[in-house]
């Protein structure tokens, strides 16, 4: 049961982390498309672009900034308040505060001409994101719970079989 629990937990965790990385890559490509459209067409206001960027502020992305080719900030979207902090315990808060953020920088270009720069700030590791931390904690709790239930069932069956055998032996001895 322990080996099965450990193997299943590690496989599920690996699957979740690869899903999380794939989701991040999808968000980045969509953000790059929005930025390219905004830089080439120019018919999107800074406020509209910020609102569109805000829809991509999904864990692990913390902020998105778009600069033009001269380095002028065109749009910004930041995750100002993390609503998950209210649900986290002290250990998880300490872990989240100890993580570092990294900035992924992408040049937005068309036909070899650089139109601007896109900076996406994210947790340094997808393992350190709020969702990943909560998922891993839940996975451990559920594994311990399932192990405890199996242990209680096994002990109950062992006691029942032991009583049955001892009463049969007592009857046979009489």
């Amino acid at each position: 049961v322990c080996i099965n629990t450990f193997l299943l937990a590690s496989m599920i965790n690996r699957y979740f982390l690869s899903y999380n990385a794939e989701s991040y890559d999808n968000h980045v490509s969509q953000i790059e498309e929005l930025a390219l459209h905004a830089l080439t067409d120019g018919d999107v206001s800074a406020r509209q672009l910020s609102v569109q960027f805000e829809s991509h502020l999904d864990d692990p992305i913390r902020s998105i900034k778009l600069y033009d080719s001269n380095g002028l900030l065109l749009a910004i979207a930041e995750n100002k308040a993390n609503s998950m902090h209210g649900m986290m315990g002290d250990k998880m808060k300490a872990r989240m505060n100890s993580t570092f953020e990294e900035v992924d920088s992408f040049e937005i270009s068309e036909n070899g001409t650089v139109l601007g720069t896109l900076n996406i700030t994210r947790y340094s590791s997808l393992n350190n994101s709020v969702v990943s931390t909560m998922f891993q904690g839940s996975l451990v709790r559920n594994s311990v719970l399932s192990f405890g239930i199996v242990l209680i069932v096994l002990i109950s069956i062992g006691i029942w079989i032991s009583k049955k055998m001892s009463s049969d032996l007592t009857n046979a001895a009489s």
Side-chain angles (χ1 to χ4, degrees):
V1 172
C2 288
I3 292 170
N4 187 35
T5 301
F6 176 74
L7 287 175
L8 274 173
S10 65
M11 287 171 43
I12 290 170
N13 190 41
R14 251 185 291 145
Y15 174 78
F16 177 75
L17 291 177
S18 70
Y19 166 78
N20 209 9
E22 184 179 314
S23 175
Y24 173 75
D25 291 340
N26 287 338
H27 277 286
V28 168
S29 66
Q30 291 171 1
I31 293 167
E32 285 179 314
E33 286 177 27
L34 285 170
L36 179 62
H37 174 71
L39 290 170
T40 55
D41 294 344
D43 61 348
V44 179
S45 72
R47 180 68 188 135
Q48 288 172 326
L49 191 56
S50 293
V51 169
Q52 289 176 339
F53 282 165
E54 284 175 6
S55 68
H56 293 282
L57 288 178
D58 192 21
D59 196 44
I61 298 173
R62 307 289 295 150
S63 73
I64 303 166
K65 296 177 183 175
L66 179 63
Y67 298 91
D68 68 6
S69 59
N70 297 323
L72 180 66
L73 182 64
L74 297 177
I76 184 170
E78 293 183 312
N79 195 354
K80 293 182 176 72
N82 191 349
S83 60
M84 301 299 257
H85 276 287
M87 297 187 289
M88 291 190 296
D90 290 335
K91 280 186 176 181
M92 196 176 300
K93 283 181 187 176
R95 180 174 176 191
M96 294 309 300
N97 290 335
S98 68
T99 62
F100 296 106
E101 294 178 342
E102 287 185 3
V103 177
D104 293 331
S105 187
F106 305 94
E107 281 189 350
I108 307 299
S109 59
E110 185 176 57
N111 300 327
T113 305
V114 176
L115 302 174
T117 304
L118 179 68
N119 289 341
I120 299 176
T121 305
R122 64 171 173 84
Y123 291 112
S124 62
S125 170
L126 294 177
N127 295 347
N128 293 334
S129 70
V130 174
V131 172
S132 292
T133 303
M134 291 178 73
F135 177 78
Q136 289 169 348
S138 177
L139 194 60
V140 168
R141 277 191 307 277
N142 290 338
S143 296
V144 169
L145 180 65
S146 69
F147 178 74
I149 290 171
V150 168
L151 190 62
I152 290 170
V153 168
L154 287 174
I155 290 172
S156 300
I157 290 173
I159 290 172
W160 179 74
I161 289 174
S162 175
K163 284 183 180 181
K164 180 97 169 133
M165 288 177 64
S166 63
S167 67
D168 289 344
L169 287 174
T170 304
N171 290 341
S174 319

